[in-house]
Amino acid sequence: QSLDDGQGVLGEKIQSLEKKLEKAGTWRLGMNINPADGHIFGYTVGWATGIDIGSDDEALTKDYLSAKVWATPANYIAIVRHQRGVVDAVKVFKFKVPGESLSTRFGLKNMNPGRQIVTQGGPIQESIADDADNLGDDPIFSVGGNLAFNWAYANNGCRIALTGGHLSGAGVNDDNTHGLGNDFAINPLTATSHSNAWEHDISNIQDCPMPACTDVRLQGTDHGASSNLKSGPVYGNYAIYVSFDSEKFPLPGDMLSLKIEM
């Protein structure tokens, strides 16, 4: 066998090993948010307590939280917009602080004072289907930056927002930070509700500061009774996956499951 042939075989083996390493890892579903299933995933429900919500059988069609996954240490997080389990768009981020669970990251310790930027460098994967709709004001996919958790401001809170959107000042009561898991009438440092009229699953990116603006555009119908909260089209379900060891997530068009081996 010639030297060139040997080098060629070695190169193929190295490429094969790199491919295996790139694909290694496991993703687990921690939460799914359906903004029109009749259950409200506002700021106070589930995020800090980490209790089981929903069932495995309906994990990708209704609101869902896995207590076991919520308590699992994670280095990576994927936020996935999907249509009945089929990936529509995904962003993957690496946490600044490794090895903490979502239970810790959303728990009381980190809610007070809250306002954490929990990832760095922006998304390490961003994949969006060519035919994906409603990208102009999507709370995750229409803006860039890193993930902000437990964004507390005055008597308001947003559990997950993007730094590329508007992040209200700590004492500013403008109801104008938008994302996943929201409430405009709480103590966000303790997740104590003042009224159930202002809780809502998903608010789209918009500039609608109170009191000048009283038409907050939401996805779906899962929100409190305040007349300021306006139901709107559902862009998809939003799933939150975590991994200890995988930087890559399935691509648009792939089918999701509770556990994904890469």
Side-chain angles (χ1 to χ4, degrees):
Q1 189 178 40
S2 70
L3 179 60
D4 288 343
D5 289 342
Q7 288 178 334
V9 171
L10 178 60
E12 290 176 1
K13 288 182 178 179
I14 291 173
Q15 287 180 345
S16 177
L17 179 59
E18 288 176 342
K19 192 172 182 180
K20 287 179 180 178
L21 289 173
E22 182 180 298
K23 288 190 172 182
T26 302
W27 289 95
R28 290 178 171 84
L29 177 65
M31 176 183 283
N32 187 69
I33 303 175
N34 178 338
D37 71 339
H39 174 271
I40 301 177
F41 247 141
Y43 195 88
T44 63
V45 176
W47 299 89
T49 59
I51 59 172
D52 282 317
I53 294 173
S55 69
D56 288 353
D57 291 342
E58 297 180 312
L60 290 165
T61 58
K62 294 185 178 181
D63 284 0
Y64 173 81
L65 190 152
S66 166
K68 182 177 180 180
V69 175
W70 216 245
T72 300
N75 294 325
Y76 302 94
I77 182 171
I79 301 183
V80 190
R81 197 179 84 178
H82 64 93
Q83 311 297 332
R84 299 192 67 83
V86 178
V87 178
D88 196 29
V90 57
K91 283 185 177 181
V92 177
F93 299 85
K94 184 176 183 179
F95 284 120
K96 281 183 183 178
V97 178
E100 289 187 347
S101 67
L102 293 181
S103 180
T104 296
R105 298 179 195 276
F106 288 113
L108 184 59
K109 175 185 173 183
N110 284 314
M111 283 163 46
N112 187 358
R115 303 172 63 84
Q116 294 96 16
I117 310 301
V118 298
T119 63
Q120 57 189 356
I124 57 177
Q125 177 185 338
E126 182 173 359
S127 306
I128 301 174
D130 291 338
D131 60 351
D133 294 324
N134 300 308
L135 295 175
D137 61 353
D138 185 287
I140 305 299
F141 299 100
S142 72
V143 288
N146 285 292
L147 293 180
F149 282 6
N150 309 310
W151 203 258
Y153 60 108
N155 67 334
N156 313 284
C158 175
R159 286 294 186 176
I160 299 180
L162 270 291
T163 59
H166 175 74
L167 298 179
S168 301
V172 179
N173 185 20
D174 62 357
D175 296 4
N176 204 28
T177 294
H178 303 288
L180 310 180
N182 310 277
D183 202 317
F184 294 158
I186 55 166
N187 179 342
L189 307 183
T190 61
T192 303
S193 176
H194 297 161
S195 165
N196 61 10
W198 295 89
E199 57 188 355
H200 51 289
D201 282 11
I202 301 173
S203 57
N204 294 322
I205 297 300
Q206 59 203 286
D207 185 21
C208 183
M210 187 193 74
C213 178
T214 57
D215 295 309
V216 182
R217 300 191 312 275
L218 310 181
Q219 287 189 40
T221 53
D222 290 347
H223 58 79
S226 169
S227 61
N228 287 20
L229 303 179
K230 307 300 184 184
S231 298
V234 174
Y235 297 174
N237 279 212
Y238 290 75
I240 298 173
Y241 282 82
V242 290
S243 177
F244 192 81
D245 49 10
S246 183
E247 297 183 351
K248 299 290 186 180
F249 196 86
L251 297 174
D254 289 343
M255 180 64 70
L256 298 173
S257 57
L258 295 175
K259 180 180 177 181
I260 300 171
E261 299 282 0
M262 297 298 291

